[in-house]
Amino acid sequence: MHALTLAAALLAHPASAADQMPTIIGGELSERWPGVGALLHGERFGCTAFLVAPDMVMTAAHCIGSATIPPPDVFFTGPDLGHVLNRYPIASITPHPDYDPSTARYDLAMIRLATPASEPVVEVATTPLSEADGGRPVWMVGYGLDENDESQRKRIGSTVIGGVITDNVIIDALPQACYGDSGSPLLRIGADGQPVAIGVASYIDDAFCEGSTYYQRIDRALPFVLGFGNICVEDSRCSDALFASGFDD
């Protein structure tokens, strides 16, 4: 399998894909879920990321910079860069200690903000996933390319889990994540009606975003995630009701 990371700052999307895909691909523009935002490297747009505590953001480990791209320095919220709600300076970035860029295993990083955010945070799943979760309805949200090769605007889409393997949740039907959706959450509906993050967008297996998206399983990295303290876990009701509004629409 040829794994392609989804970071907009690192990869270009083939222009010819636009006429091959129907209409995240197959999603819709949205201002929902303000706790989901994106990273900026100076003025350069990076990956999607999301709040899991007032001062903690989760994203993919491959999104935190490279030899040619500096680490992100700002987490912003809002539907796009033209309608920014808030910009939060980044204080520190910690990739999972077992992250392996050659296999994308444990492709997850935690970012501490210099000041707490005011947006509602996303609950993190603590219930282990299994093969039985295949077919379960989920939502995706991110700032990646759409069917018109446009990105940097928040889009959402609903789909079902295609499969659960050792390290990943697989989405293999439209809507589909694409370049720029790296680090975005895969959400299910929790018992209290709140969205609960079960995965973080890591890589795809098709350059045209028509194959499968692989989300790093959060439950596989819980000791690392919970070690940062004050993380919003499922059923803790640390998100307010407004965040859940429209989740079933």
Side-chain angles (χ1 to χ4, degrees):
M1 178 175 60
H2 182 50
L4 302 166
T5 55
L6 295 164
L10 305 181
L11 288 173
H13 182 63
S16 60
D19 59 8
Q20 298 183 29
M21 291 178 285
T23 172
I24 297 145
I25 308 296
E28 63 183 56
L29 292 171
S30 179
E31 297 183 9
R32 297 183 198 168
W33 310 329
V36 179
L39 304 174
L40 292 179
H41 306 247
E43 291 305 311
R44 185 172 187 172
F45 195 91
C47 291
T48 303
F50 57 103
L51 289 163
V52 292
D55 64 343
M56 293 300 305
V57 170
M58 185 180 291
T59 191
H62 75 262
C63 292
I64 62 174
S66 67
T68 58
I69 299 173
D73 53 6
V74 168
F75 169 71
F76 85 87
T77 59
D80 56 51
L81 281 174
H83 303 85
V84 173
L85 295 178
N86 286 296
R87 292 175 180 245
Y88 298 103
I90 290 172
S92 63
I93 304 172
T94 308
H96 193 288
D98 295 323
Y99 169 54
D100 184 347
S102 66
T103 63
R105 192 177 190 199
Y106 291 113
D107 187 8
L108 192 148
M110 300 293 286
I111 296 175
R112 191 173 296 278
L113 303 179
T115 57
S118 58
E119 288 80 7
V121 303
V122 179
E123 295 183 1
V124 172
T126 55
T127 304
L129 295 171
S130 70
E131 293 181 1
D133 288 299
R136 187 172 192 167
V138 286
W139 284 79
M140 53 181 65
V141 51
Y143 292 77
L145 288 173
D146 63 14
E147 71 282 2
N148 298 312
D149 281 346
E150 296 178 353
S151 63
Q152 304 181 14
R153 302 179 69 187
K154 185 186 288 186
R155 297 177 69 88
I156 67 171
S158 60
T159 186
V160 297
I161 294 174
V164 177
I165 57 177
T166 302
D167 292 304
N168 302 105
V169 182
I170 304 172
I171 301 298
D172 53 14
L174 290 175
Q176 191 70 244
C178 201
Y179 303 109
D181 288 318
S182 275
S184 63
L186 187 67
L187 306 166
R188 64 167 172 79
I189 302 174
D192 58 0
Q194 296 290 342
V196 177
I198 62 172
V200 175
S202 177
Y203 65 94
I204 55 177
D205 62 8
D206 179 85
F208 295 98
C209 306
E210 295 180 307
S212 298
T213 304
Y214 292 74
Y215 286 79
Q216 169 64 50
R217 286 173 54 179
I218 294 174
D219 65 306
R220 293 278 293 168
L222 274 180
F224 167 70
V225 173
L226 299 181
F228 288 87
N230 200 33
I231 302 300
C232 181
V233 297
E234 62 181 312
D235 300 330
S236 60
R237 300 202 60 83
C238 48
S239 299
D240 61 33
L242 180 62
F243 193 76
S245 177
F247 192 70
D248 295 318
D249 291 354

